[in-house]
């Protein structure tokens, strides 16, 4: 991963608060997984038709997404019985500059259009 100007190699800038009641945001450099000594990324296993990881750690297929407690932790299990890791964007805030607002409106329209 290439470092940005003023950024330490192997880190990304992250803004955080101590807790949800704190109004002060502090930016710090968070270490990226790729910069951990000895870390080697592995290939994700193939996916089931519901996006679960096809592994030999298959549970009972019920036809429904569900949670299951196994080996000291909770798992999401897909309808075919495979462990499921949900990956999604959970929050998005569009920019507020004139240029960002115009680009957003051009791409997605307005609330009335």
């Amino acid at each position: 991963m290439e470092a940005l100007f003023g950024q330490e190699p192997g880190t990304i800038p992250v803004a955080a608060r101590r807790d949800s009641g704190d109004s002060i945001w502090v930016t710090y450099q968070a270490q990226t997984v790729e910069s951990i000594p000895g870390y080697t990324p592995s290939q994700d296993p193939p996916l089931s038709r519901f996006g679960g990881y096809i592994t030999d750690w298959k549970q009972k297929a019920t036809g429904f997404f569900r949670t299951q407690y196994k080996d000291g932790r909770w798992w999401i299990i897909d309808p075919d019985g495979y462990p499921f890791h949900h990956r999604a964007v959970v929050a998005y805030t569009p920019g507020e500059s004139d240029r960002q607002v115009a680009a957003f409106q051009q791409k997605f329209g307005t609330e009335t259009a």
Side-chain angles (χ1 to χ4, degrees):
M1 175 185 280
E2 186 176 321
L4 301 173
F5 178 74
Q7 178 181 328
E8 300 170 30
T11 66
I12 57 170
V14 175
R17 302 180 290 179
R18 276 189 298 227
D19 59 53
S20 62
D22 195 345
S23 63
I24 300 171
W25 288 78
V26 177
T27 301
Y28 65 95
Q29 297 297 318
Q31 186 176 16
T32 60
V33 172
E34 293 86 1
S35 68
I36 297 173
Y39 171 78
T40 304
S42 62
Q43 189 74 16
D44 282 342
L47 300 179
S48 73
R49 62 189 174 139
F50 297 103
Y53 289 145
I54 297 177
T55 66
D56 27 340
W57 189 82
K58 184 176 180 185
Q59 304 302 299
K60 179 181 176 188
T62 64
F64 299 93
F65 280 95
R66 68 181 192 283
T67 57
Q68 181 172 332
Y69 192 76
K70 180 163 174 55
D71 299 330
R73 65 180 295 181
W74 285 97
W75 293 88
I76 299 173
I77 306 298
D78 81 4
D80 286 338
Y82 293 108
F84 180 85
H85 182 236
H86 183 71
R87 300 181 201 184
V89 175
V90 295
Y92 170 75
T93 304
E96 297 178 5
S97 74
D98 292 341
R99 184 174 168 195
Q100 290 168 321
V101 169
F104 191 85
Q105 289 176 346
Q106 180 179 358
K107 184 164 183 128
F108 300 107
T110 64
E111 291 182 21
T112 57

